[in-house]
Amino acid sequence: MSAFPDIDTIQYEGPDSDNPLAFRWYNPDEIVEGKTMKDHLRFSIVYWHTFRGTGSDPFGPGTAVRPWDDGSDSVDNARNRVRVAFELFEKLQAPYYAFHDRDVSPEGSDLAESHKNFDAVAEVLKEEQQRSGVKLLWGTCNLFSHPRYMHGAATSCNADVFAYAASEVKKCLEITNELGGENYVFWGGREGYQNLYNTDMKRELDNLGRFLHMAVDYAKKIGFEGQFLIEPKPKEPTKHQYDSDAAACMNFLRAYDLEDHFKLNIETNHATLAGHTMMHELDYAGGQGALGSIDANTGDLLLGWDTDQFPTDYYLTAQTMLMILKHGGLGSGGVNFDAKVRRESFEPVDLFYAHIGGMDAFAKGLKIAAAVRADKKLEQFVSERYASWDSGIGAKIEAGKVGLEELQQYMLDKGNSDPNTSGRQEMLEAVFNRYIDRV
Ligand code: XLS
Ligand code: NI
Ligand code: NI
């Protein structure tokens, strides 16, 4: 039985279409820079917001109407929900999805029962993947909702909680492997602290390093070849999240000898909360060879928390795609909509409008980014701006051929540095607008 009987598979109708249940920009087979849109974007839908989000907030209960869901935490309900989820993935032409263990399957009365529940639901996930061809972008563990994780999981002060979390990761890795997951994500959850009066930060960080090494070792043991990803976020739920931004994550990975095993999953709203732009986080990760995947959403600049809204701003998506193309694409990662419909958008059809809007915004963003790159104006400007490094003293510095003494002698001989040239920021911002206009 269909959960969305009035909705057919969403089709591309082109930019002039007025149909909110059609794509205006996302044309999966259209070629951009020699690759299909589908392969560039690798869209993924998240199970947690889309199928477990209720619209509840601290001021009131959920509002979402989900006729297929009996509201219980039973395994039967969970298995039935999987069929509905795959109907939505297919109708949206999304090639991937992502989950936490606890979104798809209910917590049991003890660890063994939780595992049993997870197995029972994974059976249907596998069946539906095979039937539909929709694949698993990544799996992850929810190591933050249950009260046992009040002090964190891998960074808990309670060693038993670390052991419990490790057991859950082991199970989730096995199931992610079984389902052919292409990545495995660690988002910090409650890995962080509220107050240093009660916290041994160094010990917590060391334990987090140990925890991730255990995951790497076990993945090797079971033959899981997916990419491990860390998802930076600076605050919420804790005041100081350890994985605060891309640079902090890279430092952590290097300090604990994990850099060969992990890349980053960059989320737009997390970048904003860190006081960065999405472009900054992507360029930083890409520059370190660690751009793995993105959680596509947007925040609200007037609010200071993770609002997880669907992205519809062409500047944002164009800038995001520009950085992704610059760094050679997402590899095994994808554009994962870690986004939720607003509490007021409570009908099932809103799930479609939301994803279509996000997918279209990214498809157009991809085309704008490709136009920017084809025209080469920004690229040329940057290479000219740094031209002093291509020859003469600049080339000698970059080749490591000179030190402070040679540089002082060079400047004493020359007397003064060459004059600067304008950064032309305003001109370039206006140039960028031209591509937004043209596509
Ligand atoms: C929370 C994170 C979370 C991760 C998966 O802010 O974005 O949803 O993506 O645990
Ligand atoms: Ni996320
Ligand atoms: Ni988030």
Side-chain angles (χ1 to χ4, degrees):
M1 217 186 73
S2 167
F4 312 104
D6 305 330
I7 300 171
D8 293 329
T9 301
I10 307 303
Q11 303 293 340
Y12 172 70
E13 290 184 5
D16 294 334
S17 174
D18 277 331
N19 178 3
L21 288 173
F23 294 122
R24 295 170 55 247
W25 296 99
Y26 183 53
N27 185 9
D29 297 323
E30 187 175 327
I31 305 286
V32 179
E33 290 197 8
K35 218 159 88 175
T36 61
M37 278 193 172
K38 185 177 173 203
D39 288 346
H40 274 290
L41 295 163
R42 298 167 57 83
F43 284 130
S44 164
I45 295 179
V46 305
Y47 211 93
W48 50 102
H49 290 313
T50 301
F51 285 96
R52 304 314 306 280
T54 62
S56 66
D57 70 11
F59 302 94
T63 54
V65 173
R66 303 289 182 253
W68 56 83
D69 201 303
D70 68 15
S72 79
D73 220 7
S74 74
V75 172
D76 279 350
N77 192 29
R79 284 165 60 102
N80 180 52
R81 201 187 279 128
V82 172
R83 312 257 183 226
V84 178
F86 276 77
E87 184 185 344
L88 178 125
F89 304 157
E90 276 189 285
K91 287 190 165 169
L92 280 167
Q93 296 201 53
Y96 289 97
Y97 74 110
F99 66 69
H100 300 82
D101 51 356
R102 280 299 81 78
D103 318 321
V104 289
S105 77
E107 175 99 25
S109 56
D110 62 10
L111 184 63
E113 199 190 358
S114 293
H115 287 353
K116 211 174 109 219
N117 293 348
F118 201 0
D119 284 331
V121 178
E123 194 179 85
V124 191
L125 290 168
K126 192 168 185 183
E127 237 176 77
E128 285 294 293
Q129 283 187 208
Q130 282 165 350
R131 184 194 57 73
S132 65
V134 174
K135 295 185 277 187
L136 178 61
L137 185 69
W138 48 264
T140 189
C141 263
N142 179 331
L143 302 177
F144 44 90
S145 293
H146 193 280
R148 80 171 64 85
Y149 295 122
M150 62 172 71
H151 300 298
T155 64
S156 177
C157 47
N158 180 345
D160 259 11
V161 171
F162 181 106
Y164 201 104
S167 318
E168 297 208 283
V169 167
K170 175 177 176 290
K171 181 70 183 172
C172 196
L173 272 171
E174 288 160 7
I175 288 190
T176 301
N177 193 31
E178 174 70 21
L179 296 175
E182 298 188 20
N183 306 270
Y184 187 90
V185 166
F186 287 91
W187 163 60
R190 294 181 195 273
E191 316 294 23
Y193 67 89
Q194 307 284 16
N195 193 309
L196 281 179
Y197 293 164
N198 65 8
T199 301
D200 185 339
M201 174 154 57
K202 175 70 164 59
R203 195 166 195 174
E204 293 200 356
L205 285 167
D206 289 350
N207 285 340
L208 181 57
R210 286 189 184 97
F211 191 87
L212 298 180
H213 272 289
M214 288 179 192
V216 168
D217 292 345
Y218 189 64
K220 204 164 166 200
K221 193 157 181 188
I222 61 172
F224 174 64
E225 287 176 356
Q227 175 66 51
F228 278 113
L229 299 168
I230 290 197
E231 183 178 319
K233 183 174 182 180
K235 53 189 165 193
E236 196 204 31
T238 74
K239 180 169 162 180
H240 295 275
Q241 298 278 121
Y242 290 134
D243 302 329
S244 55
D245 66 2
C249 286
M250 290 314 297
N251 184 60
F252 172 83
L253 291 173
R254 292 196 175 113
Y256 291 93
D257 209 12
L258 286 158
E259 71 271 29
D260 293 341
H261 306 287
F262 281 82
K263 289 187 174 178
L264 302 182
N265 180 37
I266 305 290
E267 176 163 326
T268 320
N269 202 165
H270 298 179
T272 318
L273 293 174
H276 299 308
T277 60
M278 182 62 167
M279 256 185 128
H280 168 89
E281 288 290 87
L282 292 169
D283 206 24
Y284 185 86
Q288 302 296 310
L291 176 53
S293 196
I294 70 165
D295 270 10
N297 60 20
T298 190
D300 185 318
L301 291 179
L302 302 184
L303 301 174
W305 65 90
D306 203 8
T307 59
D308 286 336
Q309 289 166 238
F310 279 87
T312 51
D313 180 317
Y314 293 144
Y315 285 92
L316 173 66
T317 58
Q319 291 168 353
T320 300
M321 291 315 300
L322 188 61
M323 287 300 120
I324 290 173
L325 294 176
K326 172 178 172 183
H327 293 292
L330 288 170
S332 66
V335 173
N336 180 52
F337 288 109
D338 192 355
K340 60 185 178 201
V341 290
R342 297 303 89 188
R343 190 168 192 270
E344 300 81 356
S345 308
F346 60 91
E347 295 177 355
V349 69
D350 290 306
L351 296 172
F352 281 86
Y353 295 142
H355 284 95
I356 292 167
M359 290 164 86
D360 265 346
F362 263 89
K364 179 156 170 162
L366 169 64
K367 294 185 77 156
I368 296 166
V372 170
R373 281 158 58 83
D375 209 29
K376 292 198 169 15
K377 277 203 174 61
L378 297 190
E379 196 187 312
Q380 269 161 16
F381 188 88
V382 174
S383 68
E384 277 162 30
R385 188 165 184 234
Y386 290 84
S388 68
W389 294 92
D390 295 335
S391 60
I393 196 69
K396 283 187 191 152
I397 297 171
E398 287 194 347
K401 287 190 181 140
V402 291
L404 293 185
E405 289 158 302
E406 292 82 359
L407 290 177
Q408 188 184 57
Q409 194 51 57
Y410 163 78
M411 225 55 248
L412 284 170
D413 293 346
K414 190 161 176 171
N416 219 331
S417 55
D418 284 347
N420 282 312
T421 54
S422 169
R424 299 256 187 273
Q425 180 177 326
E426 299 75 9
M427 181 195 83
L428 294 171
E429 284 168 348
V431 166
F432 198 86
N433 276 354
R434 284 193 222 149
Y435 306 105
I436 301 258
D437 295 343
R438 278 184 206 156
V439 168

